[in-house]
Amino acid sequence: MKEESQIESVVILGAGPAGLSAALYAARAELSPLVLTGMTPGGQATLTHTIENYPGYPEGVGGAELGELFQKQAERFGARIEFDTVMEVDFSQRPFRVKTYSKEYLANSIIIATGASSLTLNVPGEKEFTGRGVSYCATCDGWFFKGKDVVVVGGGDSALEEAIFLTRYASKVTIIHRRDQFRGGALLQTRVRENPKISLKMDSVVKEIKGTDKVETVLLENVKTKEQEELPTDGVFIFVGHSPNTKLFEGQLKMDDRGYIEVDMHMKTSVEGVFACGEAADAEYKQVITSAGMGAAAAIQASRYLENLKK
Ligand code: NAP
């Protein structure tokens, strides 16, 4: 039987940089926020080995370590963290309702910080070999490819950064990118080009991932010449972008055509009292620092909204 709880001031959905920064600010506003972590406490940042562009850490900081520090700081001021996943929300009535597997929460305000998930290539073999050579997380799986050859698919910051990280383990890393220009930043591009373990296959796409028990080759096609080749490899790391985790809110909040929640500069969504921050509402920047900033702003606005409710 589902339990029903008291009315919370603010329930925060997600515990990445946005959710935990919102929790810190809401806790310091003495709102005793409840954070429902979802499946990835610490968010996508925990999947990154080292974060080099979060200010205050001149030598970089581990992604998982930064997540733990965010959580510790929020808890120090009274944030409550529940390892629970939201199944359903109802923003049509007040207090708002949030259902998890085991419980239903009532809340006067909501801060959505559900982040984003990795996109897949959708090619034959990708699903079959996930966990058997296909991976979306170099930090998690890189170690298994010690002394082996791997390919990295994508041309954004994630692909470049993770390709460099994988050279710690792999003997050779081949980046496969569909254009002749990378999307990722200039510094990462320089590091990639200067790394003797990395080679590039530009203008190329993966048509199929092949193997028997585990990955053995990738079938590539040059997008300009249409020539195909089968490249032997032990691993396929896929970093082709993300999509926002916002399916739960479809039909209840305004979103753009890619599913990013529409917010104004105060992180207000189309429903008064519901705020959104971080990658669930940011198609543009997607940085730890911008997500943290959006989280802080969302909590400040939630606090003002709750003050006004009392008047
Ligand atoms: P991204 O910037 O969206 O890049 C995705 C890459 O995958 C692009 O190069 C894209 O090609 C390629 N791609 C997309 N769909 C594909 C497909 N079906 N087949 C083959 N290639 C495909 O994603 P991201 O690299 O994950 O980065 C996401 C955000 O996080 C960005 O804003 C990025 O700046 C940020 N980020 C920052 C850092 C950092 O600051 N160190 C690290 C990681 C991520 P096209 O270029 O042709 O579109």
Side-chain angles (χ1 to χ4, degrees):
M1 218 189 44
K2 299 213 177 226
E3 273 179 65
E4 198 163 286
S5 56
Q6 64 192 43
I7 300 176
E8 301 283 347
S9 299
V10 53
V11 171
I12 299 170
L13 312 185
L20 291 174
S21 300
L24 170 64
Y25 274 71
R28 286 174 59 85
E30 301 200 316
L31 295 172
S32 184
L34 176 70
V35 181
L36 302 175
T37 61
M39 300 295 276
T40 322
Q44 289 179 87
T46 59
L47 305 179
T48 303
H49 185 264
T50 311
I51 294 171
E52 289 190 313
N53 51 8
Y54 193 74
Y57 296 91
E59 304 305 323
V61 57
E65 186 190 348
L66 187 62
E68 280 164 24
L69 290 169
F70 275 9
Q71 180 174 333
K72 210 166 156 190
Q73 195 170 356
E75 284 178 321
R76 182 180 151 213
F77 295 101
R80 293 165 297 138
I81 316 280
E82 285 284 337
F83 295 92
D84 208 347
T85 298
V86 177
M87 306 303 294
E88 210 180 303
V89 294
D90 183 355
F91 298 154
S92 68
Q93 48 182 311
R94 282 152 208 272
F96 302 121
R97 285 173 182 267
V98 175
K99 277 189 198 164
T100 67
Y101 279 113
S102 55
K103 205 167 169 180
E104 182 161 274
Y105 294 93
L106 303 176
N108 285 326
S109 70
I110 301 279
I111 297 177
I112 296 168
T114 46
S117 300
S118 300
L119 286 172
T120 57
L121 279 177
N122 286 325
V123 294
E126 183 178 15
K127 237 190 208 148
E128 295 89 313
F129 290 112
T130 295
R132 291 190 292 145
V134 172
S135 170
Y136 303 85
C137 177
T139 305
C140 321
D141 300 326
W143 189 87
F144 297 111
F145 295 88
K146 256 187 182 166
K148 301 198 167 161
D149 288 0
V150 299
V151 301
V152 164
V153 188
D157 282 328
S158 299
L160 303 186
E161 199 164 77
E162 302 306 326
I164 296 164
F165 174 72
L166 283 166
T167 60
R168 290 179 187 212
Y169 307 106
S171 49
K172 188 177 170 204
V173 177
T174 306
I175 301 179
I176 297 160
H177 181 39
R178 64 183 178 183
R179 288 188 295 133
D180 59 0
Q181 302 271 316
F182 284 123
R183 181 178 294 279
L187 176 63
L188 287 172
Q189 287 196 37
T190 304
R191 285 186 187 166
V192 157
R193 291 183 201 281
E194 286 175 352
N195 193 312
K197 280 186 163 183
I198 298 180
S199 60
L200 310 178
K201 280 214 181 282
M202 307 300 275
D203 291 321
S204 297
V205 291
V206 174
K207 301 294 281 183
E208 188 175 348
I209 300 167
K210 298 182 177 184
T212 43
D213 281 351
K214 56 185 181 55
V215 169
E216 287 164 13
T217 61
V218 280
L219 178 65
L220 304 182
E221 183 174 281
N222 184 297
V223 293
K224 289 182 177 155
T225 64
K226 299 291 171 204
E227 254 174 59
Q228 294 198 339
E229 71 169 300
E230 208 162 312
L231 184 75
T233 190
D234 300 298
V236 183
F237 284 84
I238 298 168
F239 303 106
V240 293
H242 299 93
S243 75
N245 299 324
T246 56
K247 220 170 169 38
L248 267 180
F249 316 112
E250 271 174 11
Q252 303 201 50
L253 297 177
K254 271 195 193 154
M255 296 181 197
D256 72 9
D257 53 4
R258 289 173 297 169
Y260 289 95
I261 297 170
E262 286 184 7
V263 289
D264 67 7
M265 65 177 293
H266 304 296
M267 307 304 132
K268 291 180 182 172
T269 69
S270 51
V271 173
E272 215 188 348
V274 178
F275 303 82
C277 51
E279 277 200 45
D282 169 24
E284 181 73 28
Y285 300 110
K286 303 175 177 182
Q287 305 295 307
V288 177
I289 187 170
T290 48
S291 290
M294 289 173 83
I300 291 168
Q301 292 300 331
S303 171
R304 288 182 189 160
Y305 168 78
L306 291 167
E307 266 313 302
N308 282 334
L309 272 191
K310 286 188 208 152
K311 286 178 190 165

